[in-house]
Structures are given as C-alpha cells and as structure tokens.
Amino acid sequence: MGIIIKNGTIVTAKDIYKGDIRIDGETITAIGESLPAEPEDQTIDAQGKYVFPGGIDVHTHFELPFMGTVSADSFETGSRAAIAGGTTTFVDFVIPEKGKPLGTALDAWRKKADGHAVADYGFHMAITEYTDSVAAEIPTIIKEGITSFKCFLAYKGLFQVDDGQLIAVLENAGKHGGMVSIHAENGDIISTLTQRYQAEGKLTPEYHWRAHPAIAEAEAVERGLTLARFADQPLYIVHLSSADGLERIKQAVARGDKVLAETCPQYLLLSSDLYCLPDFEGAKWVMSPPLRPADHLEKMWEGIAKGYIQTVATDHCPFNFRGQKEMGRDDFTKIPNGIASAGDRFNLLYTYGVGEGRISINRFVDVVATAPAKIFGMYPQKGSIVVGGDADLVIFDPEATGEISVKTQQHNVDYSAYEGFKLKGLPQTVLLRGRFAVRDGVYVGEQGHGRFIARSASGVSA
Ligand code: URP
Ligand code: ZN
Ligand code: ZN
C-alpha cells in the first residue's frame, strides 16, 4: 500500500509545477502527472495546496545544560513542535564538557535523542577546547556522521576558543572532510562591557544587549574568515544577527572567500527595543547574539534574497520565564540565553518572507530545507522532492490562517517570543519518511520515530 499526493503544486528550490507524488514505504517512488493509484493506496488531495520538502533546522539546543539550568524542550517536545510546524529534520549541537572526550558527550546526546525524537536528527560537535585527545577524536567523530563542528568566539571562560585553537580545528576537521562553523561574537569585547556595566550597577536585561554590540559580531566574522582563508577552508557563520556582520560577509564573497551564513527568524522579525520593556520582561529575548535595532532587519532579509545568507535556522534554546529567565532578575549575566522557535520558523518565514514579498517561494524552500541539506551532507536524501529521496513532505495550505501564542504552541515553555504574530499559510499535513506526523492539521507523530542521520561531508568544499 502506497500513498499518492494528488494535484498539489510541488515547490522545490528551483521549480514550481503541478503534479502527483507517489510514496512507497519511506521513499518517494514516482513524481508525475495523473499517477495511477492502486485500490489499496491512500490518496491525499492536495488541490490548492503547496507540497514542500520537509523543513530542516540545522541549529537547535534541546535539553542543553547551560548557564546553571537546562533548556526547557526535551528532544521529544522540541522535535514535536518542530515537526508540527513543518520541520522534519533538525541538527542539534553536542556541547562537551571541557576535559571530557567528545565521544562521551556524543553518547550522552544520542541517549537523549534516540527513541525520543519525533523528527529525524543529526548532530554538530562543539569544540570548547582543543587538546591532543580532542584532535585525535575529530576523524572518528566525522566517520560517525558528525561532519560539522562549532567553535565559539564568545562565552569567555566557558566555551570560547582562541585563534590558535580555531585554526587547528579548521585544519584538522577540513583534512578529514568536516566543516567548521563559528559563533561570531568577540568574547573579549563582551566581557569588557559586561564587567563595566556590572561595576556601574547596570544590571537590567537591556545591558545584555548593550554588552553585545554589533561591532563584536563584525570583528568575529572578519577574524573567523581571515583564519579560514589562512587554513584554506570554508566557514559557516551560525546565527548571524546584524547588518554589520553581513557587510563583512559581502566583502568576503567579493574577494572570493568560501563563506556560508545562517540567520534565524528573531534577527528578521524582532528588534532590540524589546530589551527595554519594564518589569524584567526583556529577559524573554535575552539570547546571544542579541536582537538588533529595527534598521538591521530589512538588511538581513535582503541578505537572504541576494544569496549572502544561505540558511534560516532557529538556535532554538528555550528557557521558562518563571524559574529560569528569572534567575537573572538582579543581574542580566545570570539570565539563561535563548528562545524557542523550532515550531515557528517554517511558518514565520513563509508568512513574513514569501507572503510579504521579501523572498520568492523557491528561495523560501532553499533556505528552510534544501541549502541546509546540501551544506550539511544530507542532500538529496533530505531537503528535496526527488524519486529515491525520503518522503519528508509538507502539504501546505496557503490560505490557512493562525496566530502564534503560548496557548497553542507545542514548545515546552511558558511564553512565546512571537506572541500575537499572525500567520497566513500553515502546514496541513506533514510526512516523515512516509509516515504521518500531522494529518489535516492534527499532530499524530510518534515518539521515537525520528532517526539519527549519519551525515556525509558537506556539499561545500574549500
Ligand atoms: O542565546 C543562545 N544563542 N543560546 C544558545 C547557545 C548559542 O550560542 O548558540
Ligand atoms: Zn551560538
Ligand atoms: Zn546555538
């Protein structure tokens, strides 16, 4: 028994056309016009709907121990929210404790995800210090399908690596087919400003933002790119937040650097005025990098439209306002950094990107699904609609409307960073490897159906 999706408008990163899709088991087995159905096949009428490849969010932090607490979504609740919102695959960051083997951290992350995730998943490996034993483990980690690494140029004293360490990771990972990404903020600028504000008794959430100026991002982007050029390796910039950082990327592209950039919905739709809300409310949006002034937002959209930014992920890292964000009521440095949006990304990008004419529908598919799959070694199994590919599909109703609210979200957190945002266009049905996760708007996913994806080397080479 197969599934036939009939009369949908199939949208890929390149094409848009009317057609039918046949699924047998986990795989797309035919695409064409008027595909015949066997009597035992299930037929889904997709007339008037778009059929998109399942979304891929390459930046999540489920159950992350961080800043004295743990992010509020488990692999089950976080991936449930993601898939309900059209994202069928995610890539989470393994963040090892200093002095502990990478393999130990990977085992811990596998234990949290395996048998729990409802969407397919892979992992990136963070390198928080570079020692001889870490160096020796990198090739093994790559062989296990963890083909991308993150170095933090921020979080001084916690995760931050210095230039020598970044060079070593770039060279070592690159030699074995891995790709390196950076959290591009200058941790020393942040630490200098933070200490200054603390000494002056400026401790409200607003000073988190003030301690993370855009120049800190621009400097780290530039330095990361310089070191990547020195090491003759590509570089992926995670969660790019500012027009200043984007300018550095444009200059790098002009001189021929191999640079890839990711941004997140928060840097397209939310602005730093939120930090100045009274009664500690601004803590809800404390994240690193922080939100930027409103004049950055359209420039970031333009960066996507013009191809300087290749992917839109979430950096999903939620903390409850009550009991978690509140840890920093008297001192912004104790507010755990991050927000939830794994369930919102796909729909926000469609409504505010395609719906408001900022990006084309093909560009939408590219940044939410296809480019992430290509860059992170999952293409064409994921991120595409091709015969032989996984049947990860979103049947999307462009006329459906909704509104984001803590009352209806699937995230396991007590507020929404996007409360009240209107949506036009919503997933009606979501399939993961041929199995329904959402059917006619109702979540029907299954705990543990998500599968670990051992990723190949990046589709981007030096
Ligand atoms: O605020 C954030 N981004 N929290 C998660 C950790 C990171 O830097 O990605
Ligand atoms: Zn980061
Ligand atoms: Zn992150």
Side-chain angles (χ1 to χ4, degrees):
M1 185 182 92
I3 297 175
I4 304 212
I5 303 170
K6 288 209 86 63
N7 301 318
T9 300
I10 298 167
V11 192
T12 69
K14 292 234 150 55
D15 298 311
I16 177 161
Y17 57 98
K18 286 279 272 187
D20 301 346
I21 298 173
R22 180 175 180 88
I23 299 166
D24 287 290
E26 300 194 336
T27 310
I28 296 171
T29 50
I31 302 170
E33 277 177 49
S34 308
L35 291 181
E38 307 294 330
E40 65 275 19
D41 289 337
Q42 285 186 68
T43 301
I44 304 173
D45 181 14
Q47 182 70 42
K49 312 286 187 297
Y50 290 124
V51 186
F52 295 132
I56 302 181
D57 182 354
V58 288
H59 194 148
T60 65
H61 301 282
F62 298 140
E63 272 175 272
L64 173 69
F66 187 44
M67 297 184 74
T69 184
V70 179
S71 62
D73 264 313
S74 65
F75 277 81
E76 188 195 348
T77 63
S79 62
R80 184 171 64 208
I83 209 164
T87 291
T88 49
T89 302
F90 63 93
V91 185
D92 200 85
F93 285 86
V94 177
I95 305 192
E97 276 177 57
K98 279 187 180 159
K100 300 262 174 70
L102 307 182
T104 306
L106 178 56
D107 290 346
W109 255 256
R110 287 293 303 257
K111 220 162 144 194
K112 290 191 269 191
D114 295 352
H116 299 285
V118 304
D120 282 358
Y121 55 95
F123 295 112
H124 309 283
M125 179 62 70
I127 303 293
T128 51
E129 65 175 349
Y130 192 77
T131 60
D132 288 348
S133 59
V134 166
E137 270 194 283
I138 283 179
T140 318
I141 294 292
I142 293 173
K143 278 198 199 103
E144 289 185 36
I146 319 299
T147 54
S148 45
F149 297 84
K150 178 177 179 182
C151 289
F152 294 87
L153 307 191
Y155 301 112
K156 192 172 161 75
L158 181 64
F159 299 147
Q160 185 172 329
V161 297
D162 63 23
D163 292 358
Q165 291 181 309
L166 176 56
I167 293 168
V169 178
L170 281 159
E171 290 188 339
N172 187 345
K175 192 160 83 191
H176 296 95
M179 192 178 62
V180 177
S181 67
I182 56 166
H183 174 132
E185 286 188 288
N186 179 310
D188 290 89
I189 293 180
I190 295 165
S191 150
T192 301
L193 288 172
T194 300
Q195 285 172 36
R196 195 170 295 164
Y197 292 134
Q198 283 181 311
E200 292 169 359
K202 294 173 173 162
L203 298 169
T204 57
E206 175 186 345
Y207 289 93
H208 168 81
W209 163 56
R210 293 196 181 279
H212 289 247
I215 193 175
E217 180 167 86
E219 188 283 332
V221 167
E222 182 69 40
R223 179 161 40 102
L225 286 168
T226 303
L227 301 182
R229 195 166 1 121
F230 168 75
D232 197 19
Q233 291 300 322
L235 187 69
Y236 181 93
I237 315 282
V238 302
H239 52 45
L240 185 81
S241 65
S242 70
D244 307 56
L246 179 58
E247 269 315 304
R248 302 303 174 103
I249 287 172
K250 288 184 185 171
Q251 290 159 11
V253 170
R255 69 180 172 239
D257 284 1
K258 200 64 168 166
V259 52
L260 301 152
E262 160 197 293
T263 192
C264 310
Q266 55 268 35
Y267 305 122
L268 299 166
L269 296 169
L270 303 172
S271 63
S272 53
D273 344 329
L274 291 164
Y275 294 120
C276 300
L277 289 174
D279 300 329
F280 191 62
E281 181 98 11
K284 290 180 177 172
W285 295 275
V286 164
M287 65 187 85
S288 295
L291 304 176
R292 302 298 178 187
D295 61 328
H296 289 242
L297 307 185
E298 286 308 323
K299 293 177 186 151
M300 297 298 284
W301 279 110
E302 203 185 290
I304 297 176
K306 293 199 168 154
Y308 292 107
I309 294 171
Q310 285 73 27
T311 67
V312 178
T314 57
D315 196 10
H316 178 95
C317 191
F319 297 98
N320 288 303
F321 187 74
R322 301 265 162 250
Q324 291 191 297
K325 292 284 186 182
E326 277 181 335
M327 289 160 57
R329 200 172 263 285
D330 300 323
D331 177 357
F332 71 84
T333 66
K334 299 195 171 63
I335 302 169
N337 287 200
I339 60 164
S341 67
D344 301 323
R345 176 191 71 124
F346 196 92
N347 300 321
L348 285 169
L349 253 287
Y350 182 83
T351 295
Y352 295 94
V354 181
E356 298 209 347
R358 290 169 166 130
I359 55 173
S360 72
I361 198 162
N362 300 105
R363 188 85 191 114
F364 162 76
V365 171
D366 203 14
V367 297
V368 299
T370 309
K374 285 183 176 167
I375 293 168
F376 290 103
M378 294 181 274
Y379 187 84
Q381 179 193 355
K382 306 268 183 209
S384 65
I385 301 182
V386 288
V387 172
D390 283 357
D392 298 349
L393 296 166
V394 178
I395 302 173
F396 191 85
D397 182 352
E399 297 306 323
T401 56
E403 182 173 316
I404 297 178
S405 171
V406 65
K407 296 192 198 105
T408 48
Q409 71 176 356
Q410 298 262 10
H411 305 131
N412 182 37
V413 64
D414 63 2
Y415 73 98
S416 169
Y418 295 96
E419 188 70 37
F421 270 67
K422 304 262 189 285
L423 298 173
K424 175 137 193 262
L426 288 169
Q428 181 198 46
T429 291
V430 180
L431 291 144
L432 173 64
R433 284 180 281 105
R435 235 198 262 180
F436 290 94
V438 177
R439 196 166 194 168
D440 297 325
V442 179
Y443 175 74
V444 292
E446 223 179 282
Q447 182 183 7
H449 181 52
R451 184 187 286 165
F452 171 69
I453 307 292
R455 295 180 291 111
S456 322
S458 165
V460 179
S461 52

